[in-house]
Amino acid sequence: MLRTEIDGIKIDLDEKMSILEAAKKAKINIPTLCYEDGLSIYGGCRLCVVEVEGEELLKPACATEIKAGMKIKTHSKKVRELRKNLFELIIATHNIDCQLNCLTCSRASNCELKEIAEDIGVSKMRLEPIKRGDSVDNSSYAVIREPEKCISCNRCIRKCEEIQSIGIFTTANRGPETVVTTFKNRGLGNVECTNCGQCILSCPTGALHELYQKDIVLDILNDESKHVVVQTAPAVRIAISEPFSNQAGDIATGQLITALKRLGFDAVFDTNFTADLTIMEEGTELIERIKSGHRLPLFTSCSPGWIKFIEHFYPEYLDNLSSAKSPQQMFGALAKSYYAREKGIDPENIVVVSVMPCTAKKFEAKREEMAGDVDYVLTTRELASMIKSAGIDFLNLEKSEYDELLGVSSGAADIFGTTGGVMEAALRTAAEIITGTELKKIEFEKLRGLEGIKKAEIEIDGLKLKAAVANGLGNARKIMEMIKAGEEFDFIEFMACPGGCMGGGGQPISCDDNILEKRQKALYKIDKNKKLRKSHENPYIKKLYDSYLENPGSEIAHKLLHTKYKA
Ligand code: HC1
């Protein structure tokens, strides 16, 4: 037992931890900037310094282990003065001119620096910011970097390297000249960036943000010659209310649809519909591959960050990817063919917009293999900003239903938004198709939860299927190395972002495990409350095959819904 005292509060701890963690337990807030839960300790900003009785120098709380008998002051005069000086230096030497940029900054409404300034009690800035004139990195279709706003906290570097195992960021120069950059300053679009956008969630200043398409979409909504349809990804409905309510886990599907109609979209559809379709196409592929024993394990292919990852790092396994396009792309292809035919609209006049929790979806829409399916991709954050700027009172909106034809979906499609969901949805369908009998229990508990890697042996009518689920690219890499080392699997779900799509780089900025758990519960709740819970029972999917696609894996299905990725 460790007995210590922080700000006069006596604390008994039964395990080793940092002063910062101990203070959190005592409900004392110490300001931090370079610290982030789940990342290694960097200790660079020093804003978390505290006074330890008997020690001459102040100690960084994040990097100092608490010891028995320590008496700590977290907000003494000495501590507060140093924090203020350090904060001013950080801001001044890293070129942020918030007075000029604040109004247009991507973090204007949730600026971490403002919060810290308040925590520290900064009342005036005495130093003029130094301008280096670094240009904006516009080289990526997904993620934009504004180096002038960077404060070198290194969180993006650590997130990319430690969680995603990519490491595209690095530092250049020394001391106050230190900058975060990419290899040879080539820009995010010219290095091995997977476009996952996890760095955006870590950046405290808005130096990283998505490539905005909200203004172009608003313009197109005013173009009467265009028929603008929108699709919403599974994970958007359980996060879109967060910027309005500041709480996670609310289900806002009906309000989301109403808001999109109010913004002027001609039809509001659901990516969930094509998630059900993906299960039909990918499930058929799985059954065929299991029967033939060829190109196993089958890898899911709906996460574009994962696709980019395998292209860069494991191109020899590209044949293991399902040839099914992602639900986003399937939707675009169908909107401009099936929907256009059914409604008698010239496909040339149809504009397809997606609302996604994911920044990599912006890149996916631009991929040459399927360019033209989807025209514009908005993140959940961009949509929230459009709703706010249209004066819509989101939390008090009445609920609406998705438009039919491409808007009805099963609960299996809703759970695509969480890690393990695509696998569970596929098994609900594959098991019934293989056995020809109804599943007694459709929840696959072993595939649920937030662990980075889950493995399960699933038995279907005597057939043993070895399944695995990975979320976050660091975990994807671990599974790929297991395969290379000879471990055998039949079917693997890979999602680029921690937690799956609900933790995507386009979601509202605050995104810790507690928030992910709430979002995940909300998705399972939507599924549980639906009458329709299996993709193959969706009547609109049946209608689509009967009247247009014939059957899963048909020639026309392949033409519209499948692709091949090249290294
Ligand atoms: Fe996803 Fe998917 S689940 S990839 O995570 O297969 O982005 O939500 O839309 O396409 O359906 C994302 C989410 C999303 C696709 C579906």
Side-chain angles (χ1 to χ4, degrees):
M1 173 82 72
L2 289 172
R3 174 153 288 191
T4 60
E5 197 179 299
I6 307 181
D7 295 344
I9 302 169
K10 295 206 170 20
I11 308 172
D12 291 328
L13 301 164
D14 40 22
E15 52 180 332
K16 284 186 179 176
M17 63 181 70
S18 68
I19 295 177
L20 185 66
E21 288 166 318
K24 262 191 203 161
K25 278 193 183 286
K27 309 268 186 280
I28 295 167
N29 179 38
I30 298 177
T32 58
L33 184 54
C34 68
Y35 174 86
E36 185 177 326
D37 275 342
L39 300 183
S40 64
I41 300 297
Y42 176 55
C45 76
R46 290 297 203 254
L47 290 184
C48 65
V49 285
V50 293
E51 204 174 336
V52 179
E53 196 176 274
E55 300 269 355
E56 198 185 327
L57 295 176
L58 299 182
K59 301 278 179 195
C62 67
T64 309
E65 198 176 284
I66 202 152
K67 297 215 171 69
M70 265 185 176
K71 285 191 176 166
I72 297 152
K73 286 185 187 151
T74 66
H75 287 78
S76 65
K77 186 165 184 283
K78 195 173 164 190
V79 164
R80 288 205 289 215
E81 270 167 15
L82 183 61
R83 278 189 196 143
K84 279 185 194 174
N85 289 341
L86 286 170
F87 188 72
E88 280 191 66
L89 276 173
I90 290 168
I91 301 296
T93 54
H94 291 92
N95 318 334
I96 292 188
D97 195 341
C98 291
Q99 278 168 340
L100 269 185
N101 289 321
C102 180
L103 296 179
T104 54
C105 180
S106 63
R107 298 294 298 275
S109 63
N110 57 0
C111 176
E112 210 173 310
L113 289 181
K114 267 200 243 164
E115 262 174 49
I116 294 169
E118 215 172 66
D119 287 350
I120 294 177
V122 177
S123 51
K124 62 176 177 224
M125 302 295 287
R126 292 163 300 173
L127 304 171
E128 278 291 310
I130 302 159
K131 292 204 180 357
R132 269 200 311 266
D134 299 327
S135 51
V136 174
D137 174 7
N138 284 314
S139 60
S140 159
Y141 286 126
V143 182
I144 302 297
R145 266 195 81 232
E146 297 189 40
E148 289 271 305
K149 290 187 185 168
C150 176
I151 51 163
S152 296
C153 68
N154 272 27
R155 278 157 60 175
C156 58
I157 300 182
R158 284 172 285 148
K159 183 65 121 6
C160 188
E161 202 167 297
E162 296 169 11
I163 307 296
Q164 297 297 69
S165 77
I166 313 291
I168 54 146
F169 293 111
T170 181
T171 50
N173 309 334
R174 293 178 151 213
E177 298 299 314
T178 306
V179 288
V180 175
T181 181
T182 51
F183 177 66
K184 291 193 173 174
N185 202 19
R186 283 188 179 159
L188 291 167
N190 304 312
V191 291
E192 288 160 341
C193 174
T194 62
N195 305 300
C196 72
Q198 286 299 311
C199 53
I200 297 175
L201 298 181
S202 284
C203 177
T205 66
L208 289 154
H209 59 81
E210 62 270 57
L211 171 70
Y212 294 128
Q213 296 197 307
K214 55 187 174 178
D215 291 330
I216 312 175
V217 171
L218 285 172
D219 284 348
I220 286 167
L221 286 170
N222 280 315
D223 181 345
E224 302 223 322
S225 68
K226 297 293 178 199
H227 183 84
V228 191
V229 303
V230 64
Q231 58 170 321
T232 64
V236 174
R237 69 208 66 202
I238 47 86
I240 184 69
S241 65
E242 290 174 24
F244 302 94
S245 67
N246 283 325
Q247 67 178 36
D250 290 337
I251 299 165
T253 319
Q255 294 88 337
L256 167 67
I257 301 165
T258 308
L260 290 165
K261 288 186 192 257
R262 290 265 294 271
L263 284 169
F265 287 97
D266 295 299
V268 180
F269 289 130
D270 203 354
T271 315
N272 282 17
F273 174 76
T274 35
D276 278 335
L277 187 62
T278 299
I279 292 303
M280 300 306 294
E281 295 294 323
E282 201 168 270
T284 307
E285 199 178 350
L286 175 66
I287 293 166
E288 276 167 11
R289 289 204 199 184
I290 287 173
K291 277 187 191 153
S292 70
H294 284 145
R295 292 187 293 151
L296 286 172
L298 176 70
F299 298 159
T300 57
S301 58
C302 40
S303 164
W306 148 246
I307 302 281
K308 192 98 183 316
F309 174 86
I310 188 171
E311 285 177 316
H312 283 308
F313 302 106
Y314 297 93
E316 67 276 26
Y317 287 96
L318 278 171
D319 271 352
N320 291 70
L321 278 176
S322 163
S323 65
K325 286 182 186 173
S326 75
Q328 162 173 269
Q329 297 302 123
M330 284 192 185
F331 177 89
L334 283 182
K336 291 181 179 177
S337 55
Y338 173 63
Y339 173 71
R341 187 193 77 170
E342 295 291 303
K343 293 283 170 185
I345 304 169
D346 180 353
E348 290 289 316
N349 289 330
I350 293 182
V351 177
V352 176
V353 176
S354 312
V355 186
M356 294 281 140
C358 169
T359 47
K361 289 280 170 196
K362 288 178 184 271
F363 172 81
E364 180 180 60
K366 293 276 184 193
R367 290 191 69 114
E368 62 179 33
E369 296 91 339
M370 42 203 167
D373 288 348
V374 171
D375 298 294
Y376 302 103
V377 180
L378 304 167
T379 60
T380 311
R381 286 191 297 269
E382 282 179 278
L383 179 63
S385 143
M386 286 166 73
I387 293 171
K388 276 187 184 167
S389 66
I392 296 170
D393 178 6
F394 186 81
L395 295 178
N396 291 307
L397 282 179
E398 68 284 10
K399 296 178 185 174
S400 304
E401 298 286 327
Y402 284 108
D403 289 306
E404 286 188 3
L405 208 63
L406 306 177
V408 174
S409 65
S410 72
D414 287 292
I415 60 173
F416 262 56
T418 170
T419 171
V422 180
M423 172 71 72
E424 183 170 330
L427 290 174
R428 287 182 192 178
T429 288
E432 292 202 356
I433 290 178
I434 291 171
T435 61
T437 54
E438 197 178 330
L439 271 180
K440 286 198 187 75
K441 181 164 165 52
I442 63 167
E443 289 89 2
F444 289 80
E445 309 289 353
K446 286 183 197 163
L447 303 170
R448 295 190 169 191
L450 281 175
E451 299 98 285
I453 293 177
K454 285 161 279 190
K455 294 184 194 175
E457 207 162 85
I458 315 273
E459 197 167 333
I460 305 170
D461 207 16
L463 174 74
K464 282 197 177 124
L465 203 65
K466 203 161 171 220
V469 171
N471 66 86
L473 291 173
N475 293 315
R477 192 182 289 281
K478 283 183 196 155
I479 294 234
M480 292 309 294
E481 290 304 315
M482 289 173 201
I483 294 171
K484 281 180 93 168
E487 191 162 345
E488 292 188 352
F489 298 95
D490 297 303
F491 188 29
I492 310 179
E493 176 200 295
F494 289 100
M495 284 289 173
C497 293
C501 283
M502 62 181 185
Q507 292 284 66
I509 292 286
S510 300
C511 189
D512 57 18
D513 275 1
N514 181 30
I515 288 173
L516 287 180
E517 259 172 42
K518 289 181 179 164
R519 290 180 186 165
Q520 188 176 51
K521 265 194 194 145
L523 285 169
Y524 285 128
K525 188 171 169 189
I526 302 178
D527 168 40
K528 202 170 173 199
N529 290 340
K530 272 197 177 170
K531 275 206 180 101
L532 190 61
R533 297 185 68 190
K534 298 169 202 156
S535 300
H536 57 288
E537 290 179 352
N538 182 336
Y540 285 84
I541 292 286
K542 288 182 191 165
K543 179 177 163 171
L544 172 65
Y545 280 113
D546 287 347
S547 68
Y548 196 63
L549 292 177
E550 297 160 12
N551 42 58
S554 69
E555 204 178 320
I556 179 167
H558 262 274
K559 190 163 158 257
L560 287 170
L561 311 178
H562 290 252
T563 190
K564 184 159 177 59
Y565 295 103
K566 314 178 266 292

